[in-house]
Amino acid sequence: MTKAPDLELPSVTTLRGGAIAAVSSDDLDIKTRLAQQVATRWFERKLSLRSPLDPPVPDRPGRPEKPELVPPKAVEKRSLHTMNGRIATLHAIAHIELNAVDLALDIVARYVSEPVPHSFFDGWMQVAFEEAKHFNLVRDRLRQLGADYGDMPAHDGLWKAAHSTRNDLTARLAVVPLILEARGLDVTPSLQAKMRETGDHETADILDVIYNDEKGHVAIGAKWFRFLCARERKDPAETFKRLVRENFRGPLKPPFNDLARAEAGLTPSFYRSLSPISSA
């Protein structure tokens, strides 16, 4: 792994302040390092939850000048059997993981006033810590292959999909962990296998780390989604379907990794009827 540069991180005294500082940073080394530092200090109970002096939660995360953000259909798909194709795939994964860092931090910062236990924030800071790890693993791999994050265009669909739920925590949980993160459980195993077929075992090993961590992220999302539904005496599966129809464009696309989803607490009763076809 590339040696981490010496960085001067902003001073933070609250969880919300630290999460906002990390989301806002356009330096990706600072963003990921700060996300992990804030998580560690929160786990050690060295930060208070919030302060009236915390800055406002930004509508958009800080980003460097590159990559250029383009519509999703403008992002070119390439064969994994070429080096350029594998680099393009890794670049797309790095972009997903970077968005995941900011989305986990945004859940903490944006919903800090929600009446939830402190363990809610424990869970999402664990997610932020691990997503930062994933981004750095993938970026290091890109650099080993002679490329870097920012070299290719990327799209803004993930942030836009999540931002539409900024005023509703239950809807945010439905869209981010239970749709966007769960999608990773569906597609990563086949991508791992294809990487191994091409002989790129280093990338496949990184995908294995990401896949195992993502199971835990979906489980955290499902746990708290069910918690909020139980508190409001609502059926989780029916509530999920309603929120997806209201807040997510398009159908949920198979194939579904039913086993991994079920292990994370996301059973077929949640998502099957939202798919245009069965993947049985």
Side-chain angles (χ1 to χ4, degrees):
M1 184 180 291
T2 305
K3 185 181 183 298
D6 293 328
L7 299 172
E8 185 173 339
L9 301 181
S11 176
V12 298
T13 57
T14 70
L15 178 64
R16 179 170 61 183
I20 290 169
V23 169
S24 302
S25 178
D26 57 10
D27 182 312
L28 303 186
D29 291 319
I30 289 176
K31 183 188 294 285
T32 53
R33 185 82 65 82
L34 186 58
Q36 293 189 322
Q37 184 196 81
V38 171
T40 299
R41 290 180 64 196
W42 172 251
F43 298 148
E44 294 170 348
R45 297 300 185 248
K46 292 180 178 177
L47 295 174
S48 61
L49 183 61
R50 56 180 170 157
S51 162
L53 301 178
D54 294 334
V57 181
D59 279 342
R60 293 193 55 79
R63 288 284 186 269
E65 290 185 7
K66 293 184 177 182
E68 176 191 2
L69 296 178
V70 298
K73 291 182 179 179
V75 178
E76 185 179 349
K77 294 183 179 179
R78 302 184 189 181
S79 169
L80 292 178
H81 293 282
T82 68
M83 177 61 76
N84 284 342
R86 292 201 295 279
I87 287 172
T89 299
L90 277 165
H91 192 278
I93 294 170
H95 188 64
I96 290 169
E97 298 300 331
L98 178 60
N99 274 276
V101 175
D102 285 318
L103 287 169
L105 294 166
D106 186 79
I107 285 177
V108 169
R110 191 170 299 277
Y111 303 105
V112 76
S113 299
E114 290 281 332
V116 291
H118 276 202
S119 55
F120 174 88
F121 303 106
D122 293 349
W124 290 110
M125 288 312 298
Q126 181 69 32
V127 173
F129 186 100
E130 290 172 352
E131 301 290 16
K133 175 184 71 177
H134 298 167
F135 175 77
N136 287 327
L137 284 171
V138 177
R139 191 178 194 184
D140 282 344
R141 182 62 183 147
L142 277 170
R143 287 167 169 166
Q144 289 167 7
L145 297 176
D148 199 358
Y149 178 69
D151 287 352
M152 298 176 176
H155 70 78
D156 203 29
L158 291 174
W159 185 262
K160 287 180 179 177
H163 192 60
S164 68
T165 62
R166 60 191 178 278
N167 297 318
D168 185 340
L169 175 56
T170 310
R172 172 64 66 90
L173 294 176
V175 169
V176 174
L178 303 188
I179 295 180
L180 302 179
E181 292 243 30
R183 186 64 182 150
L185 301 184
D186 302 331
V187 302
T188 303
S190 62
L191 186 57
Q192 284 175 289
K194 290 174 184 175
M195 286 294 183
R196 293 197 189 281
E197 284 174 14
T198 67
D200 191 345
H201 297 285
E202 294 87 349
T203 298
D205 289 345
I206 292 169
L207 292 173
D208 190 50
V209 172
I210 292 174
Y211 178 69
N212 287 317
D213 286 346
E214 299 291 358
K215 285 183 186 178
H217 302 175
V218 177
I220 288 166
K223 169 187 173 179
W224 291 109
F225 184 83
R226 290 177 183 277
F227 171 88
L228 294 174
C229 288
R231 191 168 67 186
E232 297 171 11
R233 298 181 180 174
K234 293 179 179 178
D235 178 84
E238 293 304 315
T239 301
F240 175 77
K241 286 182 274 195
R242 175 179 61 78
L243 290 170
V244 170
R245 292 187 182 107
E246 292 173 356
N247 295 281
F248 190 76
R249 289 184 179 181
L252 304 191
K253 298 176 183 177
F256 299 115
N257 187 340
D258 290 326
L259 179 58
R261 284 169 169 255
E263 287 174 349
L266 189 58
T267 54
S269 63
F270 276 71
Y271 54 85
R272 281 287 181 181
S273 65
L274 296 170
S275 171
I277 57 174
S278 171
S279 64

